[in-house]
Every structure is written in structure tokens, then in C-alpha cells.
Amino acid sequence: GGSHDFEVTAMASYQNNLFVAVGRRDGTGNSSLYSSDDGIIFTPIAPAGNRITGISISNYDRKMYLSAHNVSNPAALQVGELYSYDNSTLQLVATNLGLRANAVACLDRFVYVGTGFPARIYRYDITSNINEIVMSESENDVTSLAAVGAGMYAGLSGTSRIMRSNSPSSPFVQSFITIANSVIFGTAFDIDTSTVPYFSVGNILFSYTNAWTAVGRADENIVGACINE
């Protein structure tokens, strides 16, 4: 069923369950997090007062990590947050991650969180529980993240810029820019023997192998993609 007033804000498969976060389309209010082992019956798991924006699975500690806004506070006190979930306990592991946390991606022992305002990437170290700012740019938001091999890609709002870090010890540098628009969505797919990043800039989908190439165009902004295996 569902409602036109709500949308899926994040979704992931974890430990043989499908997890789906649902929130208001206007961006206000908290999300409801549901899990299902059959795709038919969904059980609510609720970090009340938070709007979930992204889900990523860590291969390091086998936990699920969720980026979220704390929207229960007054606007002046809203903050980005990071949660972990081990299929039994939902735990807040980092807070004060900018005004809003827009995206999350796991890489080795780190969890990267893309935030706004301004556009920053916070990196949470699973082993030390320390988080630090590893990128800060002039745009309003980091809108998307994708781990590729040992590196991380990040899309920025408004300018079409995609940033890249080749390893956890390398700084983020500009990888791509085109006609000014927002980078809306980013992911990576294993194709043949390579992991390939895909990012949407408005309604155009780009991928990178030896160079960034436009591989598709839609009538509306591209907000997600999957691969048919």
C-alpha cells in the first residue's frame, strides 16, 4: 500500500533480512525503520526522532551503519548522527556530524558520513570510536558516497563535482565536474573483475573506468540504481 506523502529513504539487505527506512517526502519528521525476512511482513525498528538517510554494511565488524538527521530538536539544534545495528541493538555511535547526515559508506575499519552544511565527510573509526573530518568543501552538502576498492568517492550538491580519495590515508581531490547540477546518487557495482562507481548528476548517469563517461539519461532526476545479476 503506502502513501504518496511518504517515500523510502534508505534500503539494504543485512543478515538475510531486508531493511527499509520510510520518511515523509517533504523531508520533515522522523523515519520508520522496518525489517523483513520474506519481503511481505515488515517489523518496525525505530530510532525515534531521526530521519534515516543511508544504510551501509561494514565488512570489518559485520554491523549495519545508518546515517540520520536528529529532527526531534529545534531547527537550530538539529545534528547529523551515525547509528550501528547488529540485528538486535540499535546504538548511537557518533553525533554532531554537521547539521544533517546525508549519506554513509563503509570501507575497511572506517565508516564515512557525508554531511551538510557545509559539505563535509566525517570518518568514524570502528576500532577507536573516534570520528574526524577528512574533507570539507564550499558546497552545501555531500549528497552521496561510494566505496570502490581501497578508495572512496563523494558527490557534492549544486556544482556536479565528484571527489575521490584513493585510500584512507589519501586526501580527497576533485575527480569530475560537468555542467552545474547536484550529484544526487552514488553507488558501486562489481562488473566482471572490476568495481565500478556510478553517480547521477541530475538526470544523467555517469560511470568511471579509465575516464568519467555518461552511460544513461532519464526524463527525471536519477535517484537510485541496481544491477541485474
mmCIF file with all atom_site columns, all heavy atoms in Angstrom, residues 38-54:
data_model
loop_
_atom_site.group_PDB
_atom_site.id
_atom_site.type_symbol
_atom_site.label_atom_id
_atom_site.label_alt_id
_atom_site.label_comp_id
_atom_site.label_asym_id
_atom_site.label_entity_id
_atom_site.label_seq_id
_atom_site.pdbx_PDB_ins_code
_atom_site.Cartn_x
_atom_site.Cartn_y
_atom_site.Cartn_z
_atom_site.occupancy
_atom_site.B_iso_or_equiv
_atom_site.pdbx_formal_charge
_atom_site.auth_seq_id
_atom_site.auth_comp_id
_atom_site.auth_asym_id
_atom_site.auth_atom_id
_atom_site.pdbx_PDB_model_num
ATOM 1   N N   . ASP A 1 38 ? 10.939 -11.956 4.585  1.00 0.00 ? 38 ASP A N   1
ATOM 2   C CA  . ASP A 1 38 ? 10.266 -12.542 3.426  1.00 0.00 ? 38 ASP A CA  1
ATOM 3   C C   . ASP A 1 38 ? 9.806  -11.497 2.414  1.00 0.00 ? 38 ASP A C   1
ATOM 4   O O   . ASP A 1 38 ? 9.249  -11.848 1.370  1.00 0.00 ? 38 ASP A O   1
ATOM 5   C CB  . ASP A 1 38 ? 9.065  -13.381 3.874  1.00 0.00 ? 38 ASP A CB  1
ATOM 6   C CG  . ASP A 1 38 ? 8.021  -12.589 4.644  1.00 0.00 ? 38 ASP A CG  1
ATOM 7   O OD1 . ASP A 1 38 ? 8.146  -11.353 4.725  1.00 0.00 ? 38 ASP A OD1 1
ATOM 8   O OD2 . ASP A 1 38 ? 7.073  -13.214 5.163  1.00 0.00 ? 38 ASP A OD2 1
ATOM 9   N N   . GLY A 1 39 ? 10.030 -10.216 2.697  1.00 0.00 ? 39 GLY A N   1
ATOM 10  C CA  . GLY A 1 39 ? 9.606  -9.157  1.790  1.00 0.00 ? 39 GLY A CA  1
ATOM 11  C C   . GLY A 1 39 ? 8.111  -8.896  1.803  1.00 0.00 ? 39 GLY A C   1
ATOM 12  O O   . GLY A 1 39 ? 7.618  -8.093  1.010  1.00 0.00 ? 39 GLY A O   1
ATOM 13  N N   . ILE A 1 40 ? 7.403  -9.529  2.720  1.00 0.00 ? 40 ILE A N   1
ATOM 14  C CA  . ILE A 1 40 ? 5.942  -9.379  2.802  1.00 0.00 ? 40 ILE A CA  1
ATOM 15  C C   . ILE A 1 40 ? 5.536  -8.770  4.134  1.00 0.00 ? 40 ILE A C   1
ATOM 16  O O   . ILE A 1 40 ? 4.832  -7.765  4.188  1.00 0.00 ? 40 ILE A O   1
ATOM 17  C CB  . ILE A 1 40 ? 5.241  -10.736 2.596  1.00 0.00 ? 40 ILE A CB  1
ATOM 18  C CG1 . ILE A 1 40 ? 5.592  -11.304 1.215  1.00 0.00 ? 40 ILE A CG1 1
ATOM 19  C CG2 . ILE A 1 40 ? 3.735  -10.587 2.760  1.00 0.00 ? 40 ILE A CG2 1
ATOM 20  C CD1 . ILE A 1 40 ? 5.093  -12.711 1.000  1.00 0.00 ? 40 ILE A CD1 1
ATOM 21  N N   . ILE A 1 41 ? 5.998  -9.384  5.221  1.00 0.00 ? 41 ILE A N   1
ATOM 22  C CA  . ILE A 1 41 ? 5.679  -8.896  6.561  1.00 0.00 ? 41 ILE A CA  1
ATOM 23  C C   . ILE A 1 41 ? 6.879  -8.112  7.093  1.00 0.00 ? 41 ILE A C   1
ATOM 24  O O   . ILE A 1 41 ? 7.995  -8.639  7.157  1.00 0.00 ? 41 ILE A O   1
ATOM 25  C CB  . ILE A 1 41 ? 5.346  -10.062 7.509  1.00 0.00 ? 41 ILE A CB  1
ATOM 26  C CG1 . ILE A 1 41 ? 4.111  -10.820 6.984  1.00 0.00 ? 41 ILE A CG1 1
ATOM 27  C CG2 . ILE A 1 41 ? 5.098  -9.555  8.921  1.00 0.00 ? 41 ILE A CG2 1
ATOM 28  C CD1 . ILE A 1 41 ? 3.811  -12.080 7.760  1.00 0.00 ? 41 ILE A CD1 1
ATOM 29  N N   . PHE A 1 42 ? 6.647  -6.852  7.461  1.00 0.00 ? 42 PHE A N   1
ATOM 30  C CA  . PHE A 1 42 ? 7.716  -5.978  7.937  1.00 0.00 ? 42 PHE A CA  1
ATOM 31  C C   . PHE A 1 42 ? 7.497  -5.633  9.406  1.00 0.00 ? 42 PHE A C   1
ATOM 32  O O   . PHE A 1 42 ? 6.386  -5.308  9.819  1.00 0.00 ? 42 PHE A O   1
ATOM 33  C CB  . PHE A 1 42 ? 7.768  -4.694  7.111  1.00 0.00 ? 42 PHE A CB  1
ATOM 34  C CG  . PHE A 1 42 ? 8.365  -4.888  5.744  1.00 0.00 ? 42 PHE A CG  1
ATOM 35  C CD1 . PHE A 1 42 ? 7.589  -5.376  4.701  1.00 0.00 ? 42 PHE A CD1 1
ATOM 36  C CD2 . PHE A 1 42 ? 9.695  -4.594  5.503  1.00 0.00 ? 42 PHE A CD2 1
ATOM 37  C CE1 . PHE A 1 42 ? 8.127  -5.563  3.436  1.00 0.00 ? 42 PHE A CE1 1
ATOM 38  C CE2 . PHE A 1 42 ? 10.245 -4.779  4.246  1.00 0.00 ? 42 PHE A CE2 1
ATOM 39  C CZ  . PHE A 1 42 ? 9.466  -5.268  3.206  1.00 0.00 ? 42 PHE A CZ  1
ATOM 40  N N   . THR A 1 43 ? 8.568  -5.717  10.183 1.00 0.00 ? 43 THR A N   1
ATOM 41  C CA  . THR A 1 43 ? 8.543  -5.419  11.611 1.00 0.00 ? 43 THR A CA  1
ATOM 42  C C   . THR A 1 43 ? 9.232  -4.091  11.862 1.00 0.00 ? 43 THR A C   1
ATOM 43  O O   . THR A 1 43 ? 10.358 -3.881  11.387 1.00 0.00 ? 43 THR A O   1
ATOM 44  C CB  . THR A 1 43 ? 9.255  -6.522  12.409 1.00 0.00 ? 43 THR A CB  1
ATOM 45  O OG1 . THR A 1 43 ? 8.636  -7.778  12.135 1.00 0.00 ? 43 THR A OG1 1
ATOM 46  C CG2 . THR A 1 43 ? 9.201  -6.232  13.901 1.00 0.00 ? 43 THR A CG2 1
ATOM 47  N N   . PRO A 1 44 ? 8.615  -3.161  12.599 1.00 0.00 ? 44 PRO A N   1
ATOM 48  C CA  . PRO A 1 44 ? 9.246  -1.856  12.827 1.00 0.00 ? 44 PRO A CA  1
ATOM 49  C C   . PRO A 1 44 ? 10.415 -1.915  13.799 1.00 0.00 ? 44 PRO A C   1
ATOM 50  O O   . PRO A 1 44 ? 10.393 -2.619  14.791 1.00 0.00 ? 44 PRO A O   1
ATOM 51  C CB  . PRO A 1 44 ? 8.099  -1.009  13.396 1.00 0.00 ? 44 PRO A CB  1
ATOM 52  C CG  . PRO A 1 44 ? 7.171  -1.993  14.018 1.00 0.00 ? 44 PRO A CG  1
ATOM 53  C CD  . PRO A 1 44 ? 7.266  -3.236  13.179 1.00 0.00 ? 44 PRO A CD  1
ATOM 54  N N   . ILE A 1 45 ? 11.480 -1.176  13.461 1.00 0.00 ? 45 ILE A N   1
ATOM 55  C CA  . ILE A 1 45 ? 12.628 -0.955  14.350 1.00 0.00 ? 45 ILE A CA  1
ATOM 56  C C   . ILE A 1 45 ? 12.843 0.553   14.322 1.00 0.00 ? 45 ILE A C   1
ATOM 57  O O   . ILE A 1 45 ? 13.188 1.096   13.285 1.00 0.00 ? 45 ILE A O   1
ATOM 58  C CB  . ILE A 1 45 ? 13.891 -1.671  13.858 1.00 0.00 ? 45 ILE A CB  1
ATOM 59  C CG1 . ILE A 1 45 ? 13.635 -3.158  13.702 1.00 0.00 ? 45 ILE A CG1 1
ATOM 60  C CG2 . ILE A 1 45 ? 15.062 -1.419  14.788 1.00 0.00 ? 45 ILE A CG2 1
ATOM 61  C CD1 . ILE A 1 45 ? 14.724 -3.866  12.943 1.00 0.00 ? 45 ILE A CD1 1
ATOM 62  N N   . ALA A 1 46 ? 12.647 1.258   15.404 1.00 0.00 ? 46 ALA A N   1
ATOM 63  C CA  . ALA A 1 46 ? 12.509 2.711   15.322 1.00 0.00 ? 46 ALA A CA  1
ATOM 64  C C   . ALA A 1 46 ? 13.555 3.480   16.113 1.00 0.00 ? 46 ALA A C   1
ATOM 65  O O   . ALA A 1 46 ? 13.539 3.440   17.337 1.00 0.00 ? 46 ALA A O   1
ATOM 66  C CB  . ALA A 1 46 ? 11.121 3.126   15.799 1.00 0.00 ? 46 ALA A CB  1
ATOM 67  N N   . PRO A 1 47 ? 14.475 4.204   15.434 1.00 0.00 ? 47 PRO A N   1
ATOM 68  C CA  . PRO A 1 47 ? 15.247 5.236   16.129 1.00 0.00 ? 47 PRO A CA  1
ATOM 69  C C   . PRO A 1 47 ? 14.409 6.509   16.157 1.00 0.00 ? 47 PRO A C   1
ATOM 70  O O   . PRO A 1 47 ? 14.512 7.365   15.292 1.00 0.00 ? 47 PRO A O   1
ATOM 71  C CB  . PRO A 1 47 ? 16.491 5.391   15.255 1.00 0.00 ? 47 PRO A CB  1
ATOM 72  C CG  . PRO A 1 47 ? 16.029 5.009   13.888 1.00 0.00 ? 47 PRO A CG  1
ATOM 73  C CD  . PRO A 1 47 ? 14.887 4.041   14.049 1.00 0.00 ? 47 PRO A CD  1
ATOM 74  N N   . ALA A 1 48 ? 13.502 6.638   17.122 1.00 0.00 ? 48 ALA A N   1
ATOM 75  C CA  . ALA A 1 48 ? 12.511 7.703   17.134 1.00 0.00 ? 48 ALA A CA  1
ATOM 76  C C   . ALA A 1 48 ? 13.168 9.076   17.091 1.00 0.00 ? 48 ALA A C   1
ATOM 77  O O   . ALA A 1 48 ? 14.169 9.329   17.747 1.00 0.00 ? 48 ALA A O   1
ATOM 78  C CB  . ALA A 1 48 ? 11.642 7.581   18.383 1.00 0.00 ? 48 ALA A CB  1
ATOM 79  N N   . GLY A 1 49 ? 12.575 9.972   16.309 1.00 0.00 ? 49 GLY A N   1
ATOM 80  C CA  . GLY A 1 49 ? 13.057 11.336  16.218 1.00 0.00 ? 49 GLY A CA  1
ATOM 81  C C   . GLY A 1 49 ? 14.163 11.545  15.216 1.00 0.00 ? 49 GLY A C   1
ATOM 82  O O   . GLY A 1 49 ? 14.743 12.620  15.160 1.00 0.00 ? 49 GLY A O   1
ATOM 83  N N   . ASN A 1 50 ? 14.472 10.541  14.389 1.00 0.00 ? 50 ASN A N   1
ATOM 84  C CA  . ASN A 1 50 ? 15.560 10.651  13.427 1.00 0.00 ? 50 ASN A CA  1
ATOM 85  C C   . ASN A 1 50 ? 15.098 10.288  12.028 1.00 0.00 ? 50 ASN A C   1
ATOM 86  O O   . ASN A 1 50 ? 14.316 9.348   11.850 1.00 0.00 ? 50 ASN A O   1
ATOM 87  C CB  . ASN A 1 50 ? 16.719 9.738   13.836 1.00 0.00 ? 50 ASN A CB  1
ATOM 88  C CG  . ASN A 1 50 ? 17.295 10.139  15.172 1.00 0.00 ? 50 ASN A CG  1
ATOM 89  O OD1 . ASN A 1 50 ? 18.136 11.007  15.252 1.00 0.00 ? 50 ASN A OD1 1
ATOM 90  N ND2 . ASN A 1 50 ? 16.812 9.517   16.230 1.00 0.00 ? 50 ASN A ND2 1
ATOM 91  N N   . ARG A 1 51 ? 15.581 11.035  11.063 1.00 0.00 ? 51 ARG A N   1
ATOM 92  C CA  . ARG A 1 51 ? 15.276 10.744  9.662  1.00 0.00 ? 51 ARG A CA  1
ATOM 93  C C   . ARG A 1 51 ? 16.469 10.002  9.062  1.00 0.00 ? 51 ARG A C   1
ATOM 94  O O   . ARG A 1 51 ? 17.553 10.571  8.886  1.00 0.00 ? 51 ARG A O   1
ATOM 95  C CB  . ARG A 1 51 ? 14.995 12.022  8.883  1.00 0.00 ? 51 ARG A CB  1
ATOM 96  C CG  . ARG A 1 51 ? 14.693 11.777  7.405  1.00 0.00 ? 51 ARG A CG  1
ATOM 97  C CD  . ARG A 1 51 ? 14.298 13.050  6.699  1.00 0.00 ? 51 ARG A CD  1
ATOM 98  N NE  . ARG A 1 51 ? 14.096 12.828  5.272  1.00 0.00 ? 51 ARG A NE  1
ATOM 99  C CZ  . ARG A 1 51 ? 12.982 12.340  4.734  1.00 0.00 ? 51 ARG A CZ  1
ATOM 100 N NH1 . ARG A 1 51 ? 11.966 12.031  5.519  1.00 0.00 ? 51 ARG A NH1 1
ATOM 101 N NH2 . ARG A 1 51 ? 12.873 12.166  3.436  1.00 0.00 ? 51 ARG A NH2 1
ATOM 102 N N   . ILE A 1 52 ? 16.303 8.745   8.758  1.00 0.00 ? 52 ILE A N   1
ATOM 103 C CA  . ILE A 1 52 ? 17.376 7.903   8.226  1.00 0.00 ? 52 ILE A CA  1
ATOM 104 C C   . ILE A 1 52 ? 17.600 8.247   6.760  1.00 0.00 ? 52 ILE A C   1
ATOM 105 O O   . ILE A 1 52 ? 16.660 8.294   5.967  1.00 0.00 ? 52 ILE A O   1
ATOM 106 C CB  . ILE A 1 52 ? 17.034 6.414   8.389  1.00 0.00 ? 52 ILE A CB  1
ATOM 107 C CG1 . ILE A 1 52 ? 16.872 6.073   9.870  1.00 0.00 ? 52 ILE A CG1 1
ATOM 108 C CG2 . ILE A 1 52 ? 18.105 5.537   7.751  1.00 0.00 ? 52 ILE A CG2 1
ATOM 109 C CD1 . ILE A 1 52 ? 16.220 4.739   10.109 1.00 0.00 ? 52 ILE A CD1 1
ATOM 110 N N   . THR A 1 53 ? 18.861 8.473   6.389  1.00 0.00 ? 53 THR A N   1
ATOM 111 C CA  . THR A 1 53 ? 19.190 8.896   5.034  1.00 0.00 ? 53 THR A CA  1
ATOM 112 C C   . THR A 1 53 ? 20.035 7.885   4.273  1.00 0.00 ? 53 THR A C   1
ATOM 113 O O   . THR A 1 53 ? 20.136 7.963   3.048  1.00 0.00 ? 53 THR A O   1
ATOM 114 C CB  . THR A 1 53 ? 19.932 10.232  5.065  1.00 0.00 ? 53 THR A CB  1
ATOM 115 O OG1 . THR A 1 53 ? 21.104 10.094  5.892  1.00 0.00 ? 53 THR A OG1 1
ATOM 116 C CG2 . THR A 1 53 ? 19.048 11.338  5.642  1.00 0.00 ? 53 THR A CG2 1
ATOM 117 N N   . GLY A 1 54 ? 20.663 6.951   4.972  1.00 0.00 ? 54 GLY A N   1
ATOM 118 C CA  . GLY A 1 54 ? 21.518 5.989   4.292  1.00 0.00 ? 54 GLY A CA  1
ATOM 119 C C   . GLY A 1 54 ? 21.824 4.792   5.165  1.00 0.00 ? 54 GLY A C   1
ATOM 120 O O   . GLY A 1 54 ? 21.768 4.877   6.394  1.00 0.00 ? 54 GLY A O   1
#
